[in-house]
């Protein structure tokens, strides 16, 4: 109603505002993580084990999607796993899936990955409390390096910000490879 009756200040209607605010949020989270001396010590301590984080996130996401496929009548196992392979990267995964399997599955991927991001933003405090500090990173998937990073850092600690960024980058790079592999070569 405020928008219809022009009660909203014009600067809030700027379509670049969300991007600017997201960049500011990421810079602040990065500064917080970068200023923490303890964070780099933890990164040195876990060394190659940091690779296990995105590997287990991929495995968990694909297994979770496979489980969900048994609850859905309209999607095949292959389609459900392809949607799960989006890892929260809704802007690219939905486009790839739409191109390879049609717009209906692309919409399912878009909504599924948006819900993953929203649920991560809302439930990270609970996930971290009951499942450990890596749970927020796992829940966020590819978004752990950007949109969900501030909430992950807030509840897991700045030392986990570096792990979140690393994991998010790896997942972001793998999504465009995983989805076509699943849709083109998966036989189920």
């Amino acid at each position: 109603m405020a928008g219809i009756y022009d009660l909203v200040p014009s600067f809030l209607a700027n379509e670049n505002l969300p991007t600017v605010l997201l960049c500011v949020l990421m810079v602040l989270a990065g500064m917080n993580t970068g200023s923490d001396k303890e964070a780099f010590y933890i990164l040195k301590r876990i060394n190659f084990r940091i690779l296990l984080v995105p590997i287990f996130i991929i495995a968990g996401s694909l297994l979770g999607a496979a489980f969900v496929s048994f609850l859905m009548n309209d999607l095949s196992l292959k389609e459900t796993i392809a949607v799960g392979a989006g890892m929260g990267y809704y802007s690219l995964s939905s486009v790839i899936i739409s191109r390879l399997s049609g717009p209906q599955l692309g919409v399912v991927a878009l909504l599924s990955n948006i819900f993953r991001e929203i649920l991560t933003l809302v439930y990270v405090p609970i996930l971290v409390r009951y499942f450990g500090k890596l749970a927020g990173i796992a829940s966020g998937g590819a978004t752990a390096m950007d949109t969900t990073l501030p909430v992950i850092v807030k509840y897991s600690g700045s030392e986990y910000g570096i792990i979140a960024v690393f994991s998010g980058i790896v997942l972001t790079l793998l999504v465009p490879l995983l989805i076509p592999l699943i849709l083109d070569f998966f036989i189920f």
Side-chain angles (χ1 to χ4, degrees):
M1 294 299 289
I4 291 172
Y5 293 110
D6 211 19
L7 300 173
V8 177
S10 61
F11 75 91
L12 291 177
N14 184 340
E15 50 188 64
N16 294 326
L17 185 62
T19 304
V20 170
L21 291 175
L22 179 60
C23 289
V24 168
L25 203 56
M26 288 174 32
V27 166
L28 292 174
M31 288 171 51
N32 183 38
T33 301
S35 67
D36 186 3
K37 306 279 190 249
E38 200 64 31
F40 291 104
Y41 172 73
I42 288 174
L43 189 60
K44 277 183 173 175
R45 192 178 72 210
I46 60 174
N47 56 39
F48 80 93
R49 291 180 294 176
I50 196 169
L51 292 172
L52 296 176
V53 174
I55 290 169
F56 281 114
I57 292 171
I58 292 169
S61 295
L62 298 182
L63 286 172
F67 174 75
V68 168
S69 74
F70 296 113
L71 304 174
M72 308 206 49
N73 295 331
D74 296 339
L75 297 177
S76 69
L77 178 62
K78 173 171 62 171
E79 291 171 332
T80 309
I81 291 175
V83 169
M87 308 290 164
Y89 194 174
Y90 57 84
S91 58
L92 181 63
S93 66
S94 59
V95 171
I96 294 171
I97 290 174
S98 290
R99 186 174 42 91
L100 295 174
S101 285
Q104 291 85 5
L105 191 62
V107 170
V108 170
L110 176 69
L111 292 173
S112 171
N113 287 300
I114 287 174
F115 287 142
R116 180 176 183 159
E117 181 175 354
I118 291 170
L119 290 172
T120 299
L121 289 168
V122 172
Y123 289 110
V124 160
I126 295 167
L127 292 170
V128 168
R129 175 183 241 178
Y130 292 105
F131 299 105
K133 295 191 178 211
L134 292 173
I137 299 169
S139 175
T143 68
M145 73 174 188
D146 48 44
T147 54
T148 59
L149 180 61
V151 74
I152 290 169
V153 167
K154 180 176 181 179
Y155 291 100
S156 292
S158 59
E159 62 271 12
Y160 285 87
I162 294 171
I163 298 169
V165 169
F166 174 79
S167 176
I169 290 170
V170 171
L171 295 173
T172 297
L173 294 172
L174 290 177
V175 165
L177 302 172
L178 278 174
I179 293 172
L181 279 173
I182 291 166
L183 288 173
D184 290 340
F185 299 109
F186 199 69
I187 56 173
F188 294 103

